[in-house]
Amino acid sequence: MLRRLSCYLLLLFPGCPLLAQSCTKPAPVDSSAAFWRQQLTYPRVRAARATAGPVVAARLRARSLDPDRLEILFRLLKTHRELEVWARNRNGGPYELLHAYPLAATSGTLGPKRRAGDGQVPEGFYEIDRFNPKSNFHLSLGLNYPTAAERALGEPDPGGDIFIHGGEVTIGCLPITDAGIEEVYLLAVLARAAGQTAIPVHIFPFPITDAELAKRPNSPHLAYWRGLRPGYAYFEQHHEPAAPAALAAQ
């Protein structure tokens, strides 16, 4: 049992010589291992591997998720106040909910972000574009806000630097505590090392259904929310993100 666990942890964290000694199959030396080695040059990532790595490995193992084929997707419904992590094996079918991390703080109101300093959390379809192992908030993952579609709205300064991060304070970001970000950061690094170059992040104000929209008939954001609905509904039905062309039409 211990031997099997050690081998699984080696798959999760390639390049660890102590674990490699206990496995019959060594970790391959490829871009995956190189990405891990680069991340492990940072003390906080090494500490996260030590504390959160076994939890992450157990969650993946319980769902028969292969670290070498892992793909993930993040989703947030503001009214639920949780960051959902969905996961699957590459070419292995639809995403399934792996775990949900409660937000430690929130800011702004329901509705998209449009200006720097408005305190709003964006709403729409994004991707992780930065790994920050030296964040002011322990560890953080950056979103590619604003997208081209949001820049096209013409606001002179739509803001930026929106992160999923540790800690318990925020002005427009998604804090999930230091313990939470350690797990989420490791999952994101693992997925990137396994070859997932685009990690989606879907952010919605609430479940975008007819019933929920009908509760807010006078909102100035109603048209925008209706534009997000096809992407929300597609993922709800298929547990797959809609094609990028469809999301761009938000």
Side-chain angles (χ1 to χ4, degrees), residues 116-134:
D118 62 8
Q120 288 291 100
V121 175
E123 294 174 1
F125 304 97
Y126 306 96
E127 294 177 359
I128 296 299
D129 68 354
R130 284 160 288 173
F131 288 72
N132 185 359
K134 298 190 294 182

Side-chain angles (χ1 to χ4, degrees), residues 134-168:
K134 298 190 294 182
S135 170
N136 290 334
F137 300 94
H138 195 45
L139 299 165
S140 62
L141 300 166
L143 277 60
N144 66 332
Y145 172 89
T147 64
E150 286 159 329
R151 291 185 183 280
L153 295 174
E155 289 290 343
D157 185 1
D161 289 335
I162 303 299
F163 289 89
I164 301 168
H165 62 64
E168 300 181 7

Side-chain angles (χ1 to χ4, degrees), residues 5-66:
L5 178 59
S6 295
C7 290
Y8 194 89
L9 286 172
L10 175 58
L11 290 175
L12 180 57
F13 304 121
C16 178
L18 292 179
L19 291 178
Q21 292 171 9
S22 66
C23 284
T24 57
K25 182 180 179 181
V29 179
D30 56 15
S31 58
S32 164
F35 187 79
W36 270 111
R37 284 195 297 270
Q38 185 271 336
Q39 285 292 310
L40 290 173
T41 62
Y42 298 100
R44 293 180 193 174
V45 179
R46 293 197 299 271
R49 181 184 64 168
T51 57
V55 176
V56 170
R59 288 206 174 107
L60 296 179
R61 185 173 62 252
R63 292 165 177 79
S64 300
L65 292 167
D66 179 358

Side-chain angles (χ1 to χ4, degrees), residues 73-77 80 82-86 97 99-100 164 174 200-204 207 231-233 235-236 239:
L73 177 148
F74 298 125
R75 189 174 77 154
L76 171 72
L77 279 66
H80 289 187
E82 290 182 330
L83 179 72
E84 301 171 356
V85 180
W86 294 72
L97 183 63
H99 194 68
I164 301 168
L174 307 176
V201 184
H202 294 182
I203 304 178
F204 303 108
Y232 173 84
F235 187 81
E236 280 289 289
H239 288 178

